[in-house]
Amino acid sequence: MLIRENVPLAPLTTIGVGGPARYFLEARTAAEVAEGVSFSRRQQLALFVLGGGSNLVVSDRGWPGLVVKIAISGLEQRAENRRAIFEVGAGEEWDKFVAKAVAHGCAGIECLSGIPGSVGGTPVQNVGAYGQEVAETIESVLAFDTRDDQVRELCNEACSFRYRTSIFNTSERGRFIILRVTYCLEPGGEPQVEYADIKRYFTGWSEKPTLAETRDAVRKIRASKAMLISPGDDDSRSAGSFFKNPIVSPEQYQELSARAAARNLTIPNYPALDRLKKISAAWLVEHSGFSKGFGHGRVGISRKHALAIVNRGGATASEIVAFEEEIQRRVEDIWGIRLEPEPVFVGF
Ligand SMILES: Cc1cc2nc3c(=O)[nH]c(=O)nc-3n(C[C@H](O)[C@H](O)[C@H](O)COP(=O)(O)OP(=O)(O)OC[C@H]3O[C@@H](n4cnc5c(N)ncnc54)[C@H](O)[C@@H]3O)c2cc1C
């Protein structure tokens, strides 16, 4: 086990801000994860588990304890009851796995193409996009339980997946270190082409798109919104969507509609959001004076996506957080709704 000291974390995140980890371990096996946990306990160090760093804002001071970067590899596929079961190491790159599943003709995660980060990161906030979320295909999660140092297999129900949440980022936050995720996909299944953007992309096609064409469409749509990490596209130096779509009560919705009417505006209806009684955080941000491309110096809103806060180069975590708070304050003043951030804040 090689524990390094004062390792910069900014380059290990997609938004690229923040200070170093006091101690840093890259864990390639479950045994190394266990060693890391026991080291942090012996040294009384706070432990942070790092995946692909695509949903994080690390503070400028960094992390005072031990960071364990999960680098467990491996991908095994087997057939079971006409389903394709994939057991994937938590350290594998998510999009590589999606590419492999699509190449093998297995449906269920094609709309999640192009999401950055690791396989182990996907159950944490129940990653979702374009009408799919991993909760629909995760069969189980193998995790190291830091409560009693046992390795446990958690079934789908035990993970309590909801919109952008699971036990891993709510009730049991910090307890489990995910080692492997098992997905159950449909061999020969049809791609899901339900989300408006994807339907629009395929307008005029005479034949049904294949899984590979759907993956390609999703990646192109994402790239047009800088939601695909592309070298050279500085709008993709972000942590993805910075705010969750708020879920509102009927009373809040009425209040919001009244505020919109007073401004000669109408709250937009998106079937995918309506179903979950969510409203568009992007709309709220844009109608609070923060248009795409708006910014202060080294921090701004992506030119292609109103929900992405972007590091324009050399930004600090404090600048990102100050900008986030400015947006939250203005949206709350105008619309009476407090936007909740989506990324995880580390070391604040
Ligand atoms: C350009 C861009 C686009 C994005 N688009 C989407 C999108 O469409 N939909 C969506 O849902 N998300 C999106 N995201 C957010 C992000 O990619 C996902 O949340 C991703 O799953 C995070 O995984 P990660 O490995 O990078 O986790 P990290 O950012 O490293 O960590 C995130 C959290 O998960 C925990 N964690 C990570 N790995 C493990 C593990 N093995 N065991 C226990 N805890 C762990 C960390 O401790 C932390 O709390 C986007 C991000 C970017 C930058």
Side-chain angles (χ1 to χ4, degrees):
M1 180 176 73
L2 175 66
I3 294 195
R4 292 190 283 149
E5 294 189 46
N6 301 317
V7 172
L9 291 174
L12 302 178
T13 69
T14 52
I15 198 165
V17 299
R22 177 71 189 85
Y23 296 96
F24 184 92
L25 166 69
E26 193 164 299
R28 291 191 186 81
T29 60
E32 287 181 356
V33 167
E35 284 180 52
V37 171
S38 108
F39 173 84
S40 71
R41 218 173 266 147
R42 275 198 315 277
Q43 307 286 324
Q44 296 186 313
L45 297 167
L47 179 77
F48 180 74
V49 178
L50 176 68
S54 63
N55 210 24
L56 301 180
V57 180
V58 177
S59 85
D60 294 318
R61 278 173 311 193
W63 182 253
L66 172 71
V67 168
V68 177
K69 158 111 180 129
I70 303 301
I72 300 171
S73 58
L75 192 154
E76 280 174 30
Q77 181 183 353
R78 63 172 196 276
E80 207 174 276
N81 298 333
R82 295 205 201 133
R83 298 269 141 178
I85 309 292
F86 290 85
E87 291 185 354
V88 196
E92 291 287 345
E93 192 185 320
W94 169 253
D95 197 46
K96 277 197 182 152
F97 164 50
V98 179
K100 196 159 256 181
V102 166
H104 282 78
C106 296
I109 52 174
E110 62 284 353
C111 294
L112 305 176
S113 294
I115 297 180
S118 65
V119 162
T122 61
V124 176
Q125 71 154 1
N126 179 20
V127 158
Y130 300 104
Q132 280 178 340
E133 50 183 29
V134 286
E136 295 155 14
T137 45
I138 287 180
E139 186 162 272
S140 64
V141 172
L142 189 75
F144 182 89
D145 188 343
T146 58
R147 233 184 232 179
D148 56 7
D149 293 355
Q150 296 297 308
V151 171
R152 302 192 188 293
E153 184 102 44
L154 304 169
C155 68
N156 181 298
E157 292 70 36
C159 300
S160 293
F161 293 119
R162 305 275 182 279
Y163 168 62
R164 295 298 178 274
T165 64
S166 69
I167 58 164
F168 307 112
N169 67 355
T170 57
S171 57
E172 304 294 351
R173 180 195 288 267
R175 175 174 166 186
F176 292 105
I177 303 177
I178 297 165
L179 308 171
R180 192 186 71 205
V181 186
T182 302
Y183 300 85
C184 176
L185 305 183
E186 195 188 343
E190 302 232 324
Q192 187 162 322
V193 183
E194 272 161 34
Y195 207 85
D197 286 355
I198 306 185
K199 275 188 177 162
R200 205 172 305 124
Y201 181 95
F202 288 117
T203 310
W205 281 48
S206 51
E207 308 223 339
K208 273 194 167 173
T210 63
L211 281 175
E213 285 161 347
T214 307
R215 170 171 163 79
D216 194 43
V218 168
R219 288 177 58 88
K220 288 202 173 109
I221 295 166
R222 294 188 76 93
S224 72
K225 297 178 179 179
M227 281 288 128
L228 188 74
I229 305 244
S230 318
D233 181 355
D234 76 339
D235 278 314
S236 70
R237 201 182 300 129
S238 75
S241 296
F242 213 92
F243 299 104
K244 296 182 192 178
N245 290 317
I247 299 175
V248 295
S249 65
E251 295 74 34
Q252 277 178 310
Y253 188 81
Q254 263 185 357
E255 164 74 21
L256 198 62
S257 306
R259 289 185 189 217
R263 291 179 157 72
N264 285 326
L265 294 170
T266 317
I267 309 287
N269 284 314
Y270 301 112
L273 294 183
D274 286 352
R275 245 192 338 267
L276 298 162
K277 304 218 171 357
K278 288 190 291 187
I279 48 167
S280 161
W283 187 89
L284 292 172
V285 169
E286 284 198 282
H287 287 84
S288 303
F290 300 99
S291 49
K292 290 180 190 139
F294 175 91
H296 306 301
R298 303 185 288 192
V299 176
I301 294 195
S302 158
R303 298 176 196 96
K304 299 171 188 144
H305 195 304
L307 273 193
I309 294 185
V310 173
N311 172 3
R312 294 257 170 247
T316 62
S318 329
E319 287 167 342
I320 301 278
V321 170
F323 192 50
E324 173 219 359
E325 287 171 354
E326 183 185 337
I327 297 173
Q328 279 174 319
R329 256 195 319 273
R330 189 105 62 87
V331 169
E332 195 165 12
D333 283 351
I334 298 177
W335 300 106
I337 287 184
R338 179 90 184 154
L339 289 182
E340 229 191 281
E342 191 177 297
V344 176
F345 291 81
V346 183
F348 284 87

